[in-house]
Amino acid sequence: MNLYRFEVTTHTFVTPVVVAADSDEKAFDLVEIELEKYFLKKPEIVDISLYEKRKLRGGGAAFVLHEKETIIK
């Protein structure tokens, strides 16, 4: 299992989404599912970018989400 960190870009904002999944395909599906659950009206997504991927092992895995850090310039 892997821990994935995505950046979701809309026309008005960029937001990080972190999911755990067995495959890259499942991770992308989970991002869309979580966005639908989080927002009352799902925003129009411009791009979903895989930012980081870490292997989950017995000791765990983590990401630091800093509000200014983004791959979008």
Side-chain angles (χ1 to χ4, degrees):
M1 179 145 319
N2 295 303
L3 188 64
Y4 295 84
R5 177 180 173 191
F6 291 91
E7 277 195 352
V8 177
T9 305
T10 70
H11 293 290
T12 56
F13 61 85
V14 176
T15 191
V17 177
V18 178
V19 299
D22 291 326
S23 68
D24 295 355
E25 182 180 335
K26 182 64 176 172
F28 276 95
D29 290 343
L30 285 171
V31 169
E32 295 211 23
I33 289 168
E34 290 305 313
L35 289 170
E36 288 174 5
K37 287 195 253 179
Y38 184 81
F39 294 100
L40 293 176
K41 181 182 177 200
K42 185 179 169 191
E44 184 179 331
I45 298 169
V46 174
D47 185 53
I48 299 175
S49 300
L50 177 57
Y51 194 84
E52 279 184 272
K53 176 181 173 181
R54 299 213 177 144
K55 196 72 150 162
L56 281 174
R57 301 190 191 265
F63 293 115
V64 174
L65 303 176
H66 188 273
E67 64 184 356
K68 304 246 184 213
E69 182 181 356
T70 180
I71 59 174
I72 307 299
K73 302 277 183 214

